[in-house]
Amino acid sequence: MARINLQIFLDIAVVALRAILPIYAVVIVYQCFAAMRRHKRPEKPLVTLQITDTNQQIPVLFWENSIGRSKGSDICVNDMAVSRNHCVLLRRQEGWYISDIGSKSGTFVNGEKTRGRTQVLLNDEITVGSTSFVLKRGDEYQERLRPSWFFSKSSDKGSLQPYKLMILITFFHLFMAVEACFTNEVTDFVPMQVFGLLELVLWTFFFISSYLFKRVNFEIEALASFLSGIGVMLLVRQELRQAYVQLIAMIIGIVLFCFLVKFIENPDRVNSWRMAIMIGAVLLLAVNIVFGKVQYGAANWINIGGISVQPSEFVKVAYIFVGSAALDKLQTKRNFIEFIVFSAICVGALALMGDFGTALIFFSTFLLIAFMRSGDFKTVILAIASAAFAGTIVLKFKPYVADRFKAWGHVWEYAQSTAYQQARVLTYIASGGLIGVGVGNGYLKYIAASESDLVFGLISEEMGIIVSFTIAAAIGALAFYSRAITTRSRSTFYSISACCAAGLMVVQSALNIFGATDILPLTGVTLPFVSAGGSSIISCWGLIAFIKAADERTYAVKRLKPKKEDD
C-alpha cells in the first residue's frame, strides 16, 4: 500500500512539474528581455555640428555618421557640391575623426584637405562642398530629443538581477531532469548527473563573466544558456552519448563567445583581419567539397577522428565578419564587391554540397546585409530575381528537392513516403497538447532526425506547445532587440553584425519550425541552440557574440568598488 501511495505521489508531482514548466519558460524569457531593457544611455547628442552660415545645430547621435547629399545619410546636406556619400564622422577611443569616402570635391578640416582618417577637435571647422560645420560639445544642443521606442520606458521594475535569472534557469533545467528520471521506459537518476554537469558549466561561465571579466550584463548569455540547457536535457533520454557531446560543444561555444567578444572590441582590428577571415572561410568550404561525407542528402560533413563536423556552421560566423565593417570602410565600392563575390562563393559551394537549406540561410543573410549596407532596394530585388532563377534550375536537376516541394502542403497524401517526418511531427504535436507528455515520454524521438531537424516537434510533444512557442518567440525577439540597440552601437560593424546575426538565427528557426510543420518545405536545418549538433551550437554561441558586442554596456567602464572613507 505504501508503495502504491508513493507511486501516486510521484505521478502527481511529475504532472505538476509538467504544468509548471510552460509558465516557468514564459517567465524566464520575459525576464531576460526585461533585463536587456533595464539600462540605457541618456538621450543626448554625443557632439553637435553647427552650420557656420545659418548657425543651425545638428545633433550627432551615433558613433559613426555618414554625411552626404543622399536622403539615407545620417547627416543630410542639401548642397549640389556634396557627393551622395561624401564622408564619415566617427568616434574612437582617441577622439573624433573625419574620413572622406571618395567624394568628388574632397573633405576639408580647417581648410586642409583630408587624407584617410583625420582627427577633429572641438571648434574645428569641417567643410564638405560649399557647406561648413563647426564641431561643438553635445550639451550645447538645445532641443529635446525623442527617445528610442525600445528604451523609452524605465524597465527597472519587474526585471531580475543576473544571478536571480540564473537561479530561475537552473530550476527549469532541474525540473526537466526530474521529469526525465521518471519516464515510462526506465526510472533512474542519470539525468541528474547530466544536469549537475550542465549547471556546473553554466554557473562557472556566469562567475567568470561577472567577476573575472566584470561584465555588467548577462542577459544574452542567460538566454543562450537557457536554450542550450533545454537541448542538452532533451537528449538524455534519447541518446545519452549525444547529450554529453552537446554539452562539450556548448563549452567550446562559450569559449568562442568569450574570445569573439574580446576580439571585436576594436572594430578597426576586425577590419584588418577581414581578408584573412574571408580566405579562411573559402578554404574551409573547399575542404568540405573535397572531403565532405554525404549525410541526409548533403555532402556537408567531415569526419575527424570519429567526430562529424559541419564546416558551413563556422562559415556563418565568418560571413557576418566579412559582411560588416566600420562605416568609412563599408561605403567603398571595393568592400562591397568583395562581399558580393564572397557571398556567391559561399552560396555556390553550399549548392554543390547539396545543402540548399543552409544556402537559403546565407542568401537571406546576404539580402539583409546588402540592404543595411546600401539601403538600396534595387540590389535586393535583383538578388531575389537571380535566386528565383537559380531555384528553378535546382528543382529541375535535383529530383529529391522537387519531391519535397511536391509533398509540401499535401502531407497526409504522402504520409508514408516523402512527408513521413512531417506527418509524425504534426501527429505528436497534437498529442503533446499545452503541457506535453513529459521529458523522455514522447514517441517522436524514434523518428530519424527528431533531435535536430524535427526538434520543434519533439519539444512540443514532450514539453508542450507553450514551451515550444516560447522558445520560438525568444529567438524572434532577438531580432527586435538587436535592431533597437543598433543606434547605440560604437560602430556600424556592431550594428550590421548584430542585426544580421539575429536575422540569420530567425531565418534558420523559421525554416526549421515551418519545415517540420509543413508550412514550408522541409529543408533540414537546425533550431538554434536547441537542436542536437556540436557544430550548430558552437556557431550559435559565436553569433550571439555580435549581439553582445553591439550592446554599449559590454565595453563600458566596469563596476567600481566604492572607496572606504578614512576614519
Side-chain angles (χ1 to χ4, degrees):
M1 180 63 71
R3 187 172 182 177
I4 294 175
N5 291 336
L6 178 60
Q7 185 61 47
I8 293 174
F9 172 78
L10 289 175
D11 292 342
I12 294 173
V14 170
V15 172
L17 286 180
R18 291 211 299 269
I20 291 172
L21 280 177
I23 301 172
Y24 219 166
V26 173
V27 170
I28 289 172
V29 171
Y30 168 78
Q31 290 294 343
C32 284
F33 284 97
M36 289 178 193
R37 293 180 47 171
R38 184 164 54 236
H39 300 291
K40 62 179 182 178
R41 170 163 61 83
E43 295 288 346
K44 63 180 182 181
L46 299 171
V47 289
T48 300
L49 289 178
Q50 182 176 311
I51 302 177
T52 55
D53 292 341
T54 63
N55 290 328
Q56 177 187 352
Q57 292 180 323
I58 301 174
V60 177
L61 306 177
F62 315 133
W63 282 63
E64 295 181 350
N65 309 265
S66 58
I67 301 175
R69 198 176 73 252
S70 170
K71 292 182 180 179
S73 298
D74 299 311
I75 300 172
C76 184
V77 183
N78 188 16
D79 181 350
M80 293 305 297
V82 175
S83 300
R84 287 180 56 82
N85 298 302
H86 197 102
C87 61
V88 171
L89 177 67
L90 65 159
R91 177 183 176 182
R92 290 294 182 262
Q93 290 294 117
E94 300 81 10
W96 287 90
Y97 293 85
I98 195 81
S99 180
D100 190 89
I101 51 176
S103 66
K104 294 181 179 179
S105 59
T107 302
F108 298 80
V109 174
N110 297 329
E112 295 186 8
K113 190 172 184 179
T114 63
R115 288 177 174 81
R117 286 186 184 176
T118 302
Q119 189 165 23
V120 186
L121 305 176
L122 290 175
N123 298 319
D124 279 354
E125 185 178 74
I126 302 169
T127 302
V128 293
S130 57
T131 304
S132 295
F133 306 92
V134 177
L135 190 71
K136 298 286 186 180
R137 295 183 184 278
D139 53 16
E140 295 185 27
Y141 186 73
Q142 303 299 324
E143 298 182 24
R144 185 176 181 181
L145 297 173
R146 183 166 56 182
S148 169
W149 69 270
F150 189 87
F151 295 93
S152 59
K153 297 180 181 180
S154 174
S155 51
D156 286 333
K157 296 180 180 179
S159 61
L160 297 178
Q161 294 297 322
Y163 76 92
K164 294 181 180 179
L165 191 56
M166 285 299 296
I167 291 174
L168 280 180
I169 292 170
T170 298
F171 273 101
F172 186 93
H173 295 157
L174 173 62
F175 292 160
M176 286 187 67
V178 172
E179 272 194 45
C181 287
F182 303 98
T183 64
N184 295 334
E185 296 178 346
V186 64
T187 299
D188 59 37
F189 293 97
V190 172
M192 297 302 294
Q193 299 174 12
V194 178
F195 162 77
L197 292 174
L198 171 67
E199 298 311 315
L200 176 62
V201 171
L202 296 182
W203 278 97
T204 300
F205 175 42
F206 171 74
F207 282 112
I208 290 175
S209 178
S210 300
Y211 298 102
L212 182 60
F213 296 153
K214 299 189 182 300
R215 303 291 184 198
V216 296
N217 54 332
F218 195 76
E219 302 89 22
I220 288 289
E221 298 94 317
L223 184 63
S225 299
F226 170 63
L227 298 176
S228 300
I230 291 176
V232 172
M233 295 311 302
L234 280 174
L235 287 168
V236 174
R237 285 305 187 201
Q238 187 161 359
E239 188 176 349
L240 184 59
R241 179 183 177 277
Q242 183 64 38
Y244 286 114
V245 171
Q246 189 82 347
L247 185 57
I248 293 170
M250 187 184 75
I251 296 172
I252 298 172
I254 290 172
V255 173
L256 175 64
F257 169 85
C258 295
F259 169 77
L260 288 180
V261 170
K262 182 62 180 177
F263 180 76
I264 60 182
E265 183 175 6
N266 183 349
D268 294 330
R269 176 170 57 200
V270 173
N271 189 70
S272 66
W273 278 84
R274 182 173 178 271
M275 182 59 67
I277 293 171
M278 187 190 307
I279 294 172
V282 172
L283 291 176
L284 194 60
L285 289 173
V287 170
N288 201 161
I289 291 174
V290 175
F291 299 102
K293 179 182 178 182
V294 177
Q295 290 188 25
Y296 307 113
N300 59 347
W301 296 87
I302 295 177
N303 288 328
I304 302 174
I307 299 175
S308 296
V309 180
Q310 194 172 3
S312 60
E313 292 291 336
F314 308 128
V315 176
K316 289 177 183 176
V317 179
Y319 192 74
I320 301 296
F321 266 111
V322 176
S324 309
L327 192 59
D328 56 336
K329 306 294 183 183
L330 194 72
Q331 295 190 347
T332 61
K333 291 182 179 179
R334 177 182 174 182
N335 187 294
F336 192 47
I337 291 172
E338 286 176 352
F339 173 63
I340 291 176
V341 171
F342 179 60
S343 300
I345 292 173
C346 289
V347 175
L350 290 167
L352 286 174
M353 298 175 202
D355 191 357
F356 297 103
T358 305
L360 182 57
I361 293 171
F362 271 76
F363 177 71
S364 301
T365 308
F366 166 77
L367 296 181
L368 183 57
I369 293 178
F371 179 72
M372 291 192 69
R373 290 175 63 122
S374 64
D376 187 5
F377 279 104
K378 294 179 182 177
T379 303
V380 174
I381 293 172
L382 179 62
I384 293 175
S386 301
F389 175 73
T392 57
I393 296 176
V394 168
L395 290 176
K396 183 176 181 179
F397 292 99
K398 296 289 184 179
Y400 73 92
V401 177
D403 288 341
R404 289 185 178 182
F405 274 86
K406 185 178 179 180
W408 175 33
H410 303 278
V411 63
W412 302 114
E413 297 176 30
Y414 299 91
Q416 299 301 323
S417 55
T418 52
Y420 182 87
Q421 291 172 303
Q422 298 96 309
R424 270 59 190 174
V425 166
L426 294 174
T427 300
Y428 293 133
I429 285 178
S431 66
L434 293 177
I435 64 174
V437 298
V439 177
N441 288 330
Y443 291 97
L444 186 62
K445 64 184 180 182
Y446 299 115
I447 305 300
S450 61
E451 76 287 359
S452 53
D453 301 348
L454 312 178
V455 74
F456 181 79
L458 183 67
I459 299 169
S460 299
E461 182 191 16
E462 296 192 356
M463 303 183 69
I465 201 167
I466 295 176
V467 173
S468 59
F469 271 53
T470 301
I471 291 172
I475 298 173
L478 279 177
F480 289 97
Y481 171 70
S482 299
R483 173 63 185 89
I485 62 177
T486 53
T487 58
R488 299 165 179 276
S489 298
R490 299 185 306 133
S491 171
T492 306
F493 170 81
Y494 299 126
S495 301
I496 293 179
S497 62
C499 286
C500 293
L504 187 155
M505 287 191 286
V506 168
V507 171
Q508 183 170 323
S509 300
L511 291 176
N512 176 277
I513 295 170
F514 296 151
T517 54
D518 199 41
I519 298 175
L520 291 175
L522 185 64
T523 53
V525 298
T526 56
L527 184 64
F529 296 106
V530 183
S531 288
S535 302
S536 176
I537 195 170
I538 291 171
S539 72
C540 287
W541 276 94
L543 290 171
I544 65 165
F546 296 110
I547 304 175
K548 176 75 174 181
D551 190 335
E552 268 196 330
R553 294 172 291 165
T554 299
Y555 302 118
V557 177
K558 309 299 187 296
R559 303 183 186 94
L560 296 176
K561 295 182 180 180
K563 295 182 179 179
K564 295 182 180 179
E565 297 182 1
D566 296 333
D567 295 334

